[in-house]
Amino acid sequence: MAAFVGAVKVNSVSSSAVFHIGDSYYIQPISSAKTYAGGGSFNTGNGINVSLGQSKTIVFDQDYID
């Protein structure tokens, strides 16, 4: 089904971003990244209380390529 899109304003698009409007069959990003972080690392908000006994982040990648 066709998409009807009104006015679109794009302020900026980063170098590895995908900008898409309307129908598409396949979209693939140009780059990817892997991020390692321990337990409770990406919490955001007000009054967060994180209690970790023992935490371990394993960063060994057996195949070296994803």
Side-chain angles (χ1 to χ4, degrees):
M1 175 178 249
F4 294 99
V5 179
V8 175
K9 179 181 179 184
V10 178
N11 291 329
S12 67
V13 177
S14 68
S15 61
S16 63
V18 175
F19 180 74
H20 168 246
I21 294 178
D23 298 336
S24 68
Y25 173 72
Y26 185 73
I27 296 176
Q28 180 179 359
I30 296 171
S31 66
S32 64
K34 187 182 289 188
T35 303
Y36 298 105
S41 295
F42 296 116
N43 292 328
T44 58
N46 297 328
I48 293 177
N49 184 9
V50 177
S51 178
L52 299 172
Q54 288 184 331
S55 178
K56 183 188 291 185
T57 302
I58 300 172
V59 297
F60 177 70
D61 190 5
Q62 294 180 359
D63 60 357
Y64 301 107
I65 299 172
D66 288 333

